[in-house]
Amino acid sequence: MATPDREKRARITRRATVFGLTASSILPSIMAPSRAESEWSSLVAAAKKEGRVVLYSAFVGLAAHKELKKDFESAYGITVDILEARASEVRERIRIEQAAGRNAADVSENGRTTTTLQIKEERVFEPHGPLPSLGRLKTDFPSDGMRLPVFAIVYGILANTMLVKPADEPKSWLDLTDPRWKGKILSDDLRTLGGGGVLFLGPAGPLRARVPREACAAGPEVQPGDTRK
């Protein structure tokens, strides 16, 4: 069994919150403001000595990353390295690195589905500790002590208006089962963690619950990479 010290070294620690402060305006503090400010200052000072924060992100191609990196480095003088990959790849990379004792990531930016599995099954994160911005955290998106919500993802159906008339556009997820869309649907991979998996488990749930497999004639073209490209 791993010792407490070894387990602590093996997890992504509170340095994750250093990047998070710039990444969003909705960060919490679980302690009094004066104590949070003091501990935050100590955390920033320690991070400056290391000189680098490494972010693993499952949001491939997120335009905000460039600006966040630029603003953070300007504000703190700490270099930010960003590695982007699919949700399942980020999870596996962290697991392998920590199992080998070669911890590279300070921050993990991923969805709730993946991070919940990481917390329950792999225990790769540490509590973020006190932060000085509790008043700026929206009440609908609270921290759970380890994760800091920075944005919400909205799922929907986009239609190519050059090919589909407004009257023919799908109005619901169930409309996608119409044979007319066979071979004409582009989707992220529904079989893996990430946007595709969340889509299938969440918004597109009616496709599983109400439509027999044989009725789903409009099989999607699975895009293994990022569908925003």
Side-chain angles (χ1 to χ4, degrees):
M1 179 179 295
T3 65
D5 287 343
R6 182 177 178 183
E7 287 187 354
K8 187 172 182 179
R9 288 197 302 271
R11 298 171 184 164
I12 293 179
T13 66
R14 287 189 56 219
R15 284 184 296 169
T17 63
V18 178
F19 187 82
L21 185 61
T22 302
S24 173
S25 62
I26 52 171
L27 295 178
S29 170
I30 59 174
M31 305 181 72
S34 59
R35 182 175 177 185
E37 289 285 356
S38 176
E39 294 206 19
W40 175 255
S41 297
S42 298
L43 181 63
V44 171
K48 286 183 176 180
K49 288 183 179 180
E50 293 190 10
R52 187 176 303 275
V53 171
V54 179
L55 167 68
Y56 284 4
S57 175
F59 301 100
V60 179
L62 186 64
H65 280 162
K66 291 183 179 179
E67 289 300 316
L68 294 175
K69 172 180 170 68
K70 177 181 176 182
D71 292 346
F72 184 89
E73 291 178 346
S74 175
Y76 293 101
I78 303 170
T79 299
V80 177
D81 292 334
I82 303 176
L83 182 146
E84 298 177 345
R86 295 179 64 81
S88 55
E89 294 168 350
V90 169
R91 178 189 178 189
E92 183 65 5
R93 187 182 184 102
I94 291 173
R95 186 192 68 79
I96 291 175
E97 288 178 350
Q98 294 195 2
R102 303 178 62 181
N103 308 319
D106 297 307
V107 190
S108 177
E109 183 184 31
N110 215 323
R112 179 169 292 274
T113 302
T114 303
T115 54
T116 295
L117 292 173
Q118 289 178 290
I119 290 171
K120 290 183 176 181
E121 297 179 7
E122 290 141 28
R123 301 178 62 196
V124 295
F125 303 123
E126 283 286 316
H128 54 66
L131 296 169
S133 301
L134 176 59
R136 300 166 67 185
L137 183 66
K138 293 182 181 297
T139 56
D140 292 338
F141 299 95
S143 166
D144 61 7
M146 287 191 181
R147 294 174 292 191
L148 300 166
V150 293
F151 56 80
I153 301 175
V154 179
Y155 288 87
I157 302 171
L158 301 179
N160 185 343
T161 56
M162 297 179 66
L163 300 175
V164 182
K165 296 178 180 180
D168 295 333
E169 293 178 0
K171 303 300 190 297
S172 71
W173 297 105
L174 289 174
D175 288 348
L176 298 179
T177 63
D178 191 312
R180 78 171 71 182
W181 306 120
K182 184 174 178 62
K184 299 178 181 180
I185 300 174
L186 178 64
S187 171
D188 201 357
D189 196 334
L190 306 178
R191 301 164 298 181
T192 63
L193 290 173
V198 172
L199 173 64
F200 190 62
L201 292 171
L207 296 182
R208 304 189 327 275
R210 297 174 56 186
V211 181
R213 182 182 298 272
E214 58 272 15
C216 294
E221 175 187 341
V222 172
Q223 174 70 25
D226 183 10
T227 54
R228 288 169 294 184
K229 293 181 179 178

